[in-house]
Amino acid sequence: MTSPFQEGDPGSKICIIGEAPSHTEMRIGKPFVGPAGHVLDQCMHAAGMIRRECYLTNVFEEPVTKDKLGGKIWDSAGDLVWTNKGGFTADGEKHLDSLLVRLARSKANVFVPLGNTALSALTPHAQIMKWRGSILSSPVIGKKVVATIHPAASLRGQYIWRYIITADLRRVIKERNSSNLNLPQRTLRINPSFEEVISYLKECLQPCNVVAEQKDVALDIEIFRHQVSCLGFAIAPDDAMCIPLVGEDSKARWSIDQEMEIWQLTAQILNDPSIRIINQNLSFDISVLLQQNSIITQGELGDTMVAQHLLYPDFPKGLDFIASIHTREPYWKDDGGKMWKKMDGDYHTFWRYNAKDACVAMEAWYALEAELHEREYWHSYQETIKLVDPLVYMMIRGFGVNLEALAKTKKEVEGKIAEKEAELLEVAERPFNPTSPKQCMEYFYVTKGIKPYVSRKTGKPTTDDKAMARIVRRFNLPEARLVQEIRALKKLHGTYLSADVDGDHRMRCSYNIRGTTTGRLSSSQTIFGTGMNMQNIHPEFKSFLVADDD
């Protein structure tokens, strides 16, 4: 069974679903034989998958047209058939129906959608970068689904995605012999009584039954209004409890004495040097608990983010990506991950999310820890994790700021901005916003008739600082010089002079222990919206930092 949009035996254990045949595939009469098909073949070979043992098909039977961002698709008749926000349109349903007829004949145990369109055809989801690698059940065909990135996406400057596709296909191979999901079964204790909370925390403190074996506890905190809203503890990858500190009425969950006892036991766990604490980006949790609750962490640290970045510096290092590679937990980050910004969702879902984070982090840590030892990265990990203590100290200590001098300079810079904007208004042929790339392009490339400068990174016209500098050198336009000056002054004003300091008049930042691909530190605002990147300070701002007396 071979045509431009399908190939192979529908009785195969694996069914791969692309988007649409290209014109090359229409001419040859076989799917996945163009550039994207060659990438798919390479990834299948690297994963140990044999193409002839798969049934390959496409959502659409003929080539389609897409907009530049890939958010809309039109069929050969010119009808809009799919959008990334609404899924299949009424005109697109006929194509979907044809696909489902083909899939109904398939005996595959696992179906592999490639990209957003195919994913949305089989599941309620359309964001492939979130759901790729997850083991899902399709409500449309009632079968198991493991989606991955469409190989064509790796042809557009994302070569690294080929390794992710390969990893996902390896998962498909493991899943092909059964149609059952067999997802991780976890005991997530939410909405516990006070007695259950105390019992669980005391269990975290119990030494291991095995002599000389270190006790592991995973900890995850969620923040709301600058305070911890719930604590997630896990004593095993399949056993966690979320301890809410804020109830469903957005008020304190416990009495003062009860909450004090909870915090005292939490402090005992973190103070115990024989208990290893596991989580994603532990420097954040440790700094918050020290700054807000005066709790010092003394045990060893198992940080999944640091381990992932040491092993795979070019890959994403978020827990969702780590879990998609090292665990069988489907994507869960949309379940309640945004409630820390505004507590207006379902609390029980949010608490499950917190407890699951702790479980998944522990499971992923064990996989990463084994690989650190296997690849002899363990020493590098230990040396990297030693930075946590000094970085936490720096985050909490912060710097003194001369607020009076800062306010004075800020006012002076505002005056300079007003002067330069007035000067620009006077010399320009017409008014335009110097901080708007669109308006700058219209002014310099249309009104002034200058040939557009193209960015080497994007390949598109740009009016960035380099373009403005070239226009100044070549055409000596005062407007371009003023645009540069206004932008520089506004960056100084908005990024540095307007940065919020904390209530004690000190400037702080949040350090990322593995902030760049090369492994160096990075820094940014704190989670509370104060401070700034303290590694790249404007020279004029440095004069406002005040050294402590000691």
Side-chain angles (χ1 to χ4, degrees):
M1 181 184 292
T2 301
S3 70
F5 60 86
Q6 66 179 336
E7 176 191 46
D9 180 7
S12 302
K13 293 181 179 180
I14 298 172
C15 174
I16 297 176
I17 305 145
E19 185 176 86
S22 67
H23 292 287
T24 299
E25 289 152 346
M26 293 296 290
R27 186 179 71 252
I28 296 175
K30 185 178 179 180
F32 295 103
V33 291
H38 292 315
V39 173
L40 179 61
D41 286 343
Q42 292 169 3
C43 293
M44 292 173 76
H45 177 74
M49 183 180 290
I50 300 173
R51 176 167 171 148
R52 66 175 177 272
E53 294 181 355
C54 302
Y55 171 51
L56 293 89
T57 188
N58 281 277
V59 175
F60 302 104
E61 299 178 11
E62 295 180 339
V64 295
T65 303
K66 304 171 73 171
D67 63 5
K68 290 183 179 180
L69 299 178
K72 294 181 179 180
I73 297 177
W74 292 266
D75 63 13
S76 57
D79 296 323
L80 180 66
V81 292
W82 185 87
T83 68
N84 58 355
K85 293 183 178 179
F88 287 88
T89 65
D91 289 319
E93 290 292 336
K94 59 185 179 183
H95 298 280
L96 181 58
D97 291 341
S98 177
L99 169 68
L100 296 180
V101 169
R102 278 176 271 137
L103 297 185
R105 294 196 295 265
S106 173
K107 306 300 182 183
N109 286 328
V110 57
F111 291 75
V112 188
L114 305 178
N116 291 333
T117 311
L119 176 63
S120 71
L122 300 188
T123 74
H125 315 297
Q127 294 175 291
I128 193 65
M129 296 309 294
K130 286 184 177 183
W131 294 97
R132 50 133 295 276
S134 290
I135 304 168
L136 307 171
S137 177
S138 169
V140 180
I141 58 175
K143 300 290 183 69
K144 183 165 60 178
V145 170
V146 179
T148 192
I149 304 164
H150 197 291
S154 72
L155 297 171
R156 298 187 285 270
Q158 294 289 352
Y159 189 92
I160 193 71
W161 286 357
R162 301 184 187 197
Y163 294 96
I164 299 176
I165 296 170
T166 300
D168 293 339
L169 294 181
R170 288 197 182 106
R171 169 156 289 173
V172 170
I173 292 174
K174 293 178 181 178
E175 296 293 325
R176 65 182 173 179
N177 291 322
S178 172
S179 59
N180 298 325
L181 290 182
N182 294 323
L183 295 177
Q185 299 299 306
R186 309 187 194 274
T187 301
L188 304 178
R189 309 163 194 256
I190 64 170
N191 202 22
S193 68
F194 179 70
E195 291 73 20
E196 290 171 331
V197 169
I198 299 305
S199 175
Y200 199 86
L201 291 176
K202 288 182 177 179
E203 189 173 355
C204 291
L205 284 165
Q206 289 295 319
C208 289
N209 296 326
V210 181
V211 177
E213 183 177 333
Q214 187 168 33
K215 178 79 177 223
D216 287 342
V217 173
L219 167 69
D220 182 61
I221 65 173
E222 303 295 340
I223 306 294
F224 179 61
R225 291 179 180 171
H226 297 198
Q227 298 295 330
V228 178
S229 64
C230 60
L231 296 156
F233 284 96
I235 56 176
D238 59 356
D239 189 342
M241 173 180 282
C242 171
I243 305 173
L245 301 176
V246 178
E248 295 179 75
D249 57 0
S250 298
K251 297 179 181 179
R253 171 68 177 265
W254 316 105
S255 70
I256 293 176
D257 290 340
Q258 288 175 327
E259 185 168 336
M260 184 178 296
E261 188 171 351
I262 291 170
W263 280 118
Q264 286 173 338
L265 287 170
T266 298
Q268 287 182 45
I269 295 168
L270 295 174
N271 291 165
D272 191 335
S274 70
I275 297 177
R276 178 168 62 175
I277 303 300
I278 296 170
N279 195 26
Q280 170 84 356
N281 191 16
L282 271 167
S283 59
F284 167 76
D285 300 68
I286 289 172
S287 64
V288 169
L289 291 173
L290 180 54
Q291 186 172 9
Q292 303 298 96
N293 303 90
S294 301
I295 295 176
I296 298 174
T297 303
Q298 300 201 58
E300 291 186 16
L301 305 177
D303 193 318
T304 51
M305 186 187 77
V306 174
Q308 167 75 6
H309 202 252
L310 275 168
L311 292 166
Y312 304 101
D314 293 312
F315 281 2
K317 56 182 185 288
L319 185 58
D320 54 345
F321 179 83
I322 294 172
S324 75
I325 300 293
H326 297 288
T327 80
R328 301 181 74 256
E329 186 68 44
Y331 180 77
W332 75 103
K333 284 293 186 178
D334 285 345
D335 290 349
K338 302 302 180 184
M339 277 187 67
W340 66 270
K341 292 183 177 180
K342 188 177 181 182
M343 299 290 288
D344 62 352
D346 177 62
Y347 279 79
H348 288 244
T349 301
F350 180 58
W351 295 335
R352 276 192 294 272
Y353 164 84
N354 175 235
K356 186 176 289 187
D357 261 9
C359 278
V360 174
M362 180 174 271
E363 181 180 350
W365 165 253
Y366 289 143
L368 290 165
E369 181 184 24
E371 194 167 347
L372 287 169
H373 285 290
E374 181 184 344
R375 294 175 56 186
E376 299 184 352
Y377 273 76
W378 184 246
H379 178 72
S380 297
Y381 172 81
Q382 289 180 308
E383 290 301 304
T384 302
I385 214 70
K386 287 179 182 178
L387 292 172
V388 170
D389 282 348
L391 289 178
V392 168
Y393 173 82
M394 292 164 63
M395 285 190 277
I396 292 176
R397 182 76 171 181
F399 296 89
V401 180
N402 186 336
L403 295 179
E404 185 177 340
L406 181 63
K408 181 180 177 182
T409 302
K410 183 178 179 180
K411 190 171 183 180
E412 291 172 354
V413 170
E414 289 171 352
K416 290 179 183 178
I417 292 172
E419 290 176 7
K420 296 296 181 182
E421 288 179 335
E423 188 176 345
L424 177 62
L425 192 62
E426 185 176 337
V427 300
E429 288 187 26
R430 61 175 180 81
F432 68 96
N433 181 357
T435 60
S436 166
K438 182 179 179 181
Q439 292 189 33
C440 284
M441 277 193 273
E442 289 175 351
Y443 182 81
F444 289 104
Y445 300 153
V446 178
T447 302
K448 303 301 290 186
I450 297 172
K451 183 180 178 180
Y453 287 96
V454 177
S455 169
R456 291 183 179 180
K457 289 184 178 180
T458 65
K460 297 178 181 179
T462 178
T463 54
D464 61 11
D465 191 63
K466 288 183 179 180
M468 291 298 100
R470 289 170 181 165
I471 291 174
V472 171
R473 287 198 304 270
R474 184 172 181 183
F475 300 99
N476 196 29
L477 285 181
E479 300 99 305
R481 174 181 54 79
L482 287 166
V483 166
Q484 285 184 294
E485 293 175 356
I486 292 169
R487 287 177 178 176
L489 287 168
K490 287 197 170 185
K491 182 174 179 60
L492 171 62
H493 181 275
T495 303
Y496 300 100
L497 303 182
S498 298
D500 290 331
V501 299
D502 290 314
D504 57 359
H505 298 171
R506 296 182 73 84
M507 180 72 70
R508 295 180 174 86
C509 71
S510 177
Y511 284 103
N512 188 334
I513 197 170
R514 297 284 300 184
T516 67
T517 302
T518 58
R520 69 171 177 82
L521 297 172
S522 68
S523 61
S524 59
Q525 278 188 334
T526 70
I527 192 173
F528 308 124
T530 60
M532 66 175 85
N533 176 359
M534 298 298 289
Q535 297 170 273
N536 188 23
I537 301 175
H538 194 283
E540 193 165 341
F541 186 84
K542 292 180 181 179
S543 62
F544 305 123
L545 298 179
V546 181
D548 293 330
D549 294 337
D550 57 354

